[in-house]
Amino acid sequence: MTAYALAHLRPSDSPVEDDVLRYVERIQATMEPYGGRFLVHGGKVEVLEGAWPGDVVVVGFPGLAEARAWYASPAYQEILPLRTRHLDGDVVIVPGVGPEYDAVGTAAAMRNARERAAGERAGAGS
């Protein structure tokens, strides 16, 4: 199932560093062996709730194994410091959902987990 690498990169007060430009120039070649492709790469963020300073990057991979392998790959690890020395941010890998996904089922599972936890807390208090 498709997996995604998401980055929230926060703005810097200084001009874009040459290291960051070299990182951007080289990153795509590190993703290609793992089937990764940019789905979102910068662009204007339209904030609908809360605050979102910075940029968003979303890379799609065929699955979690490929996303993890890309991030751990020697090619990506070699260029990673070019970005991290100059830009603060958060990067996560998340699994996607398939076409059969139903949020109603997720709500039911969350409800059941909440009720189990409440029952365990009540049992512990006895």
Side-chain angles (χ1 to χ4, degrees), residues 26 30 34 68-81:
R26 296 173 60 188
T30 71
Y34 304 95
R68 290 176 180 137
W70 160 73
Y71 190 85
S73 72
Y76 185 66
Q77 289 299 308
E78 179 184 326
I79 69 168
L80 183 57

Side-chain angles (χ1 to χ4, degrees), residues 8-21:
H8 175 204
L9 303 175
R10 287 181 270 302
S12 170
D13 291 335
S14 59
V16 176
E17 297 285 342
D18 286 339
D19 278 353
V20 174
L21 295 174

Side-chain angles (χ1 to χ4, degrees), residues 4 7 23 31 42 44 50 72 81 85 88 95 99-100 104-105 108 112 121 123:
Y4 303 93
Y23 171 87
M31 299 181 321
K44 180 151 177 54
R85 280 195 297 258
D88 290 329
E100 73 286 349
V104 172
N112 290 337
R121 283 191 302 273

Side-chain angles (χ1 to χ4, degrees), residues 39-92:
L39 302 175
V40 176
H41 197 195
K44 180 151 177 54
V45 175
E46 183 176 341
V47 179
L48 300 177
E49 296 180 27
W52 192 278
D55 294 316
V56 178
V57 178
V58 179
V59 179
F61 289 91
L64 284 171
E66 293 87 351
R68 290 176 180 137
W70 160 73
Y71 190 85
S73 72
Y76 185 66
Q77 289 299 308
E78 179 184 326
I79 69 168
L80 183 57
L82 297 173
R83 176 180 56 79
T84 59
R85 280 195 297 258
H86 304 287
L87 294 174
D88 290 329
D90 303 300
V91 177
V92 299

